[in-house]
Amino acid sequence: MKDESKVAIVGCGPAGMMAATVLSEAGLAVDIFEAKATAGRKFLVAGRGGLNLTHSEEAGRFAARYGSKAEIFSKLLGVFSPDDLRAWLQTLGIETFIGTSGRVFPKDAKAQDILKIWLEALGRRGVTFHYQHRWQGFSKTGGPLFLGANDELLEFSSQAILLALGGASWPQTGSDGSWTSLLTAKEVRIEPFRPANCGLEVEWSDYFRTHFSGKPLKNVLLRCGDQQATGDVMMTDHGLEGGPVYALSGSLRDLLEKSSPVPLLLDLKRDLPLPRLQEKLQQHRSKESLANFLRKTIHLTGPAYSLLREICSPEELQNTALLAERIKNLPIPITRTRPLAEAISSAGGIAFAEVNEDLMLRKLPGVFVAGEMLDWEAPTGGYLLQGAFSSGYQAALGILKWLGQQPQP
Ligand SMILES: Cc1cc2nc3c(=O)[nH]c(=O)nc-3n(C[C@H](O)[C@H](O)[C@H](O)COP(=O)(O)OP(=O)(O)OC[C@H]3O[C@@H](n4cnc5c(N)ncnc54)[C@H](O)[C@@H]3O)c2cc1C
C-alpha cells in the first residue's frame, strides 16, 4: 500500500481541488481521495443551469452575502478573491465574463470542460487521485482510513489532512453528510444540516395542483420580513420554486422552525403602485367576469389570476379595496421547505468555533477543513462556489504553514 503521501485531501470537489492546486504548486506531494468513481459531481450539476462561478460586486457587499459569517468570509475573500479566481481560471485558459446581473460565468467552457482541464493540470503536477475511497475516520497513528471499492479498509499516512467533503444536499453527487458522525465522535461540534436555497411547500387544492403545476408567475416580487426578491417563480406540485424563492428560503426556513404555516407575501403587479392599482380597479365593471376585468384593466392573466382565486376568499375577490391589497400582498401559506436532498446547498456543518484562522480543527491538529462542510450559507449568485474556492485556498495556506512550507509566489 502506498504510504508516502504528504498531504491527504479527502473530497474531490471545488474546495479540495483548489487546495490541491495551491499545495501541488508549492511542490508538495498531494493525494486526493474521493468516495465516488469520478471527481466534482456537484460542480457538474452546478453547470447544468449555467455555471455561475462568482460575482463581480464590491468586496463588502460580497462578504455580506454570507450573513452572520460575513466577517470570516471577508478575510477568506481577501486571501482568494473573485478577481483572483478569474485570474487563476485564465491561467488554465478559461475566460470568464460578467453577465448583466453582475454574475460571473465561463465564456465558452462548460463545467465538464473546466473540470477536465483542471484535473489534467493537477495530474501534470503529480497529484494522485484515488477514486472510490470513502473516508472512514482516522487510524491509530492519525492517518486517514478509507473503505475501498471492494470494501477493504485502507490506511494512509500523511503529515496533514484536508477534509473537503461538502454539505448534505444532492447526496447522489457524493456530498451526503455521512462524515458527521466521524467528527462528532472526536467531539467536533457540528450544526445540524438544513436546506438552503430550496423550494417552499404550499398545500394547494387538488384543482389548483392539477391545473397550474408547472406554470410560471412572471416578474413578481416576494417579501418575507425585511427581505425581498424579484423575478419569475414556478408553481409546482409541492409549492414554489425559482430564484426569488431560493433567495428567501433561508429566512422562511428559520421562521418555519418556530411555527407553520408562514405567509410569504407575493406582489403580482410589482410595477403598479397600490394607489394606481386601486384607481384602475375602481373603474366601472360591467357584467363581465372578474377574470376578464382584471385581464383588461391590469393585464393580470392565467396563472396569476388563478393563484389569486386559490388564496383569496370570495369576499376579498368582490371587494375592490381588499382585492387591490391582495394583488400587492398575496399571503401564500408556506408549510415547509422542500427536503434537504433537493436543496441547492445546505446550512449547518462544522462550527467555525472548531477551527482556527487557518481552518485547522482545534481538537485535531493537522486536520484542516474547507468548503460547504463548514457552517455557512449564502444565496445563489456565485457565492457558494467562491466560498468553496476561497476556503479551500485558505486551508491550503494553513497546511503549508503547518508543514513549515512557503506558498508559491
Ligand atoms: C443544482 C445545483 C446548482 C448549483 N449551482 C451553483 C452555481 O451556479 N454557482 C455556485 O456558486 N454554486 C452552485 N452550486 C453549489 C456548489 O456546487 C457547491 O457549493 C460546491 O460544489 C461545494 O463545493 P465543496 O468542494 O465544498 O463540496 P462538493 O462539491 O460537495 O464536494 C465534496 C466531495 O467530497 C466527496 N465526499 C463526501 N463524503 C466523502 C467521504 N466520506 N469520503 C470521500 N469523499 C467524500 C463527495 O463525493 C464530493 O465529491 C450548485 C449546487 C447544486 C446542487
Side-chain angles (χ1 to χ4, degrees), residues 10-16 33-36 40-43 45-46 50-53 133-135 164-167 169-170 173-176 178-179 343-344 370-373 382-386 388:
V10 194
C12 197
F33 301 87
E34 165 58 49
K36 290 287 186 185
R41 292 193 181 199
K42 195 177 261 184
F43 183 73
V45 168
L51 186 66
N52 184 189
L53 289 160
H133 277 60
R134 175 166 287 278
W135 181 59
L165 305 172
S169 75
W170 280 66
T173 62
S175 23
D176 56 12
S178 60
W179 49 267
I344 290 177
E372 241 189 72
M373 72 185 297
Y383 309 105
L384 298 167
L385 280 174
Q386 181 69 52

Side-chain angles (χ1 to χ4, degrees), residues 282 334 349 373 376:
Q282 265 152 12
I334 305 297
M373 72 185 297
W376 57 276

Side-chain angles (χ1 to χ4, degrees), residues 64-65 67-68 197 221-230 243-255 263-266 329 377 379:
R65 304 288 181 179
S68 62
N197 295 303
L221 182 146
L222 299 185
R223 215 178 287 120
C224 171
D226 58 358
Q227 300 226 347
Q228 59 180 52
T230 56
V245 176
Y246 304 149
L248 298 192
S249 62
S251 306
L252 261 300
R253 178 201 63 213
D254 293 348
L255 291 171
L264 173 66
L265 298 179
L266 202 153
N329 280 301
E377 64 178 310

Side-chain angles (χ1 to χ4, degrees), residues 313-347:
S313 66
E315 294 72 41
E316 288 168 334
L317 292 173
Q318 292 313 318
N319 179 315
T320 306
L322 284 179
L323 181 60
E325 173 58 33
R326 285 298 183 237
I327 290 171
K328 294 298 288 176
N329 280 301
L330 191 63
I332 313 287
I334 305 297
T335 53
R336 275 177 298 273
T337 56
R338 287 299 292 158
L340 176 58
E342 275 183 26
I344 290 177
S345 59
S346 48

Side-chain angles (χ1 to χ4, degrees), residues 13-303:
M17 287 175 65
M18 178 48 72
T21 303
V22 177
L23 294 168
S24 60
E25 265 174 15
L28 266 70
V30 177
D31 284 73
I32 302 193
F33 301 87
E34 165 58 49
K36 290 287 186 185
T38 54
R41 292 193 181 199
K42 195 177 261 184
F43 183 73
L44 293 178
V45 168
R48 281 189 204 159
L51 186 66
N52 184 189
L53 289 160
T54 185
H55 204 285
S56 60
E57 70 194 358
E58 167 278 316
R61 215 173 136 78
F62 200 118
R65 304 288 181 179
Y66 298 86
S68 62
K69 311 289 159 31
E71 213 175 300
I72 295 169
F73 274 87
S74 176
K75 286 187 193 146
L76 292 176
L77 295 165
V79 173
F80 188 72
S81 69
D83 284 344
D84 293 333
L85 174 62
R86 297 184 68 192
W88 167 73
L89 284 165
Q90 210 169 22
T91 66
L92 291 181
I94 298 153
E95 296 292 334
T96 54
F97 75 96
I98 301 174
T100 43
S101 58
R103 296 173 180 218
V104 175
F105 300 92
K107 215 175 204 168
D108 304 310
K110 295 196 164 27
Q112 57 264 39
D113 305 324
I114 299 176
L115 188 62
K116 185 167 179 280
I117 293 169
W118 194 3
L119 287 169
E120 282 170 3
L122 290 174
R124 279 195 300 277
R125 280 210 219 96
V127 173
T128 309
F129 294 88
H130 309 261
Y131 294 109
Q132 293 179 291
H133 277 60
R134 175 166 287 278
W135 181 59
Q136 294 290 301
F138 304 99
S139 68
K140 284 196 183 97
T141 55
L145 274 179
F146 299 96
L147 202 61
N150 303 312
D151 281 351
E152 70 281 32
L153 206 56
L154 303 165
E155 189 179 333
F156 284 80
S157 73
S158 59
Q159 288 161 284
I161 301 172
L162 170 67
L163 301 175
L165 305 172
S169 75
W170 280 66
Q172 63 272 39
T173 62
S175 23
D176 56 12
S178 60
W179 49 267
T180 50
S181 56
L182 300 171
L183 289 180
T184 45
K186 298 283 180 191
E187 294 180 2
V188 174
R189 187 159 66 87
I190 294 167
E191 299 299 339
F193 280 117
R194 298 179 300 154
N197 295 303
C198 60
L200 298 170
E201 294 197 5
V202 185
E203 286 173 6
W204 304 124
S205 65
D206 289 342
Y207 175 83
F208 189 81
R209 184 179 303 110
T210 312
H211 290 85
F212 296 99
S213 171
K215 298 273 191 309
L217 295 167
K218 293 278 187 188
N219 191 24
V220 292
L221 182 146
L222 299 185
R223 215 178 287 120
C224 171
D226 58 358
Q227 300 226 347
Q228 59 180 52
T230 56
D232 296 348
V233 166
M234 185 63 79
M235 297 188 283
T236 68
D237 276 359
H238 304 291
L240 301 172
E241 296 276 340
V245 176
Y246 304 149
L248 298 192
S249 62
S251 306
L252 261 300
R253 178 201 63 213
D254 293 348
L255 291 171
L256 285 165
E257 281 170 6
K258 294 180 196 122
S259 71
S260 169
V262 171
L264 173 66
L265 298 179
L266 202 153
D267 184 345
L268 289 167
K269 276 281 148 200
R270 71 186 190 96
D271 298 332
L272 205 55
L274 183 62
R276 184 85 190 98
L277 175 65
Q278 282 166 336
E279 216 175 276
K280 281 181 172 268
L281 294 188
Q282 265 152 12
Q283 285 172 33
H284 174 68
R285 182 177 149 200
S286 59
K287 284 192 178 145
E288 65 191 335
S289 67
L290 180 62
N292 266 345
F293 177 67
L294 293 179
R295 182 173 48 77
K296 283 188 199 157
T297 48
I298 59 167
H299 307 292
L300 191 89
T301 53

